[in-house]
Amino acid sequence: MDFYYLPGSAPCRSVLLTAKSLGIELNKKLLNLQTGEHLTPEFLKINPQHTIPTLVDDGFSLWESRAILVYLVEKYGKDDSLYPKCPNKQAVVNQRLYFDMGTLYKSFSDYYYPQVFAKAPADPEMYKKIEIAFEFLNTFLDGSKYVAGDQVTVADHAILASISTFDVAGFDISKYANVARWYESAKKLPGWEENWAGALEFKKFFN
């Protein structure tokens, strides 16, 4: 499978975490967005939205990281532990994935991206949204070992990639006891080292 990505991207790193857990070897293809490699006619044929991560599996193209996570498990998982078939358990995993996309990681991009990429001043109102997102996640983890229940799922991979990005940005995770506990445990998941190396790549934008 060809995997178009950047190591600093949290959504890309979530796919790497899931692939590692499944024992899948990806043919990694770095895509330089600054030079417009994502806008070439060749890449636009693969992904007209020209976003990363993008996966190409035997001619089948898929983008949007959380869709890729589910696809990998459903096609290549030896069991359904990472994405349960039980409707109730699966619904919780889906909720956490959408929470990451629409609330948690969105709060990161809304607050940090303007500062990093447009040299804009920090917006305290956007910072409050980060705190609200962490409060929600802290509540989700109250009495729960993992973000979607009692076992590791793709939701942990998505949220681990996001939280480690907050970490390198200097956000104080320790204020949220349940999140901090889960984060320390999640560092033992397969693929953590590569995820952290990618997060440190992103950290360079803050220097």
Side-chain angles (χ1 to χ4, degrees):
M1 281 177 278
D2 289 340
F3 182 59
Y4 296 86
Y5 84 118
L6 280 174
S9 158
C12 292
R13 287 186 275 113
S14 70
V15 176
L16 295 174
L17 283 161
T18 295
K20 187 74 171 181
S21 289
L22 293 170
I24 294 171
E25 288 290 331
L26 297 171
N27 180 30
K28 299 171 192 168
K29 292 179 173 283
L30 283 170
L31 208 63
N32 190 331
L33 306 186
Q34 291 178 318
T35 62
E37 288 183 354
H38 60 308
L39 299 174
T40 63
E42 295 78 12
F43 189 70
L44 289 172
K45 286 181 183 177
I46 295 169
N47 175 357
Q49 268 189 280
H50 52 80
T51 55
I52 55 169
T54 294
L55 183 78
V56 182
D57 184 10
D58 193 25
F60 172 67
S61 300
L62 184 64
W63 52 97
E64 295 294 348
S65 62
R66 295 153 195 89
I68 295 172
L69 305 185
V70 172
Y71 170 79
L72 289 175
V73 176
E74 293 200 312
K75 186 165 183 181
Y76 296 103
K78 295 179 176 65
D79 54 47
D80 70 342
S81 60
L82 288 174
Y83 190 66
K85 295 194 186 307
C86 166
N88 288 19
K89 290 182 178 179
Q90 188 180 107
V92 175
V93 174
N94 288 338
Q95 186 276 326
R96 302 298 194 256
L97 290 173
Y98 295 137
F99 165 77
D100 181 49
M101 179 176 68
T103 302
L104 180 64
Y105 194 71
K106 185 177 189 302
S107 74
F108 179 92
S109 59
D110 286 348
Y111 179 71
Y112 288 106
Y113 280 10
Q115 297 175 64
V116 170
F117 299 117
K119 306 304 179 189
D123 184 339
E125 291 303 312
M126 291 296 104
Y127 189 82
K128 288 178 185 175
K129 291 188 177 182
I130 293 176
E131 294 179 313
I132 291 168
F134 267 79
E135 286 165 8
F136 283 138
L137 182 58
N138 203 60
T139 299
F140 298 159
L141 284 160
D142 194 21
S144 181
K145 189 173 182 181
Y146 300 107
V147 297
D150 58 0
Q151 65 188 39
V152 175
T153 67
V154 293
D156 291 280
H157 296 156
I159 291 179
L160 177 58
S162 294
I163 295 297
S164 55
T165 312
F166 277 104
D167 189 0
V168 297
F171 184 77
D172 185 6
I173 297 165
S174 67
K175 293 189 295 184
Y176 307 89
N178 295 331
V179 178
R181 166 188 54 78
W182 165 83
Y183 185 42
E184 286 307 307
S185 175
K187 291 177 182 179
K188 301 178 179 68
L189 293 178
W192 162 255
E193 292 81 6
E194 185 175 18
N195 171 75
W196 184 242
L200 291 176
E201 282 288 312
F202 191 83
K203 185 178 183 179
K204 295 174 184 176
F205 288 108
F206 294 90
N207 296 335

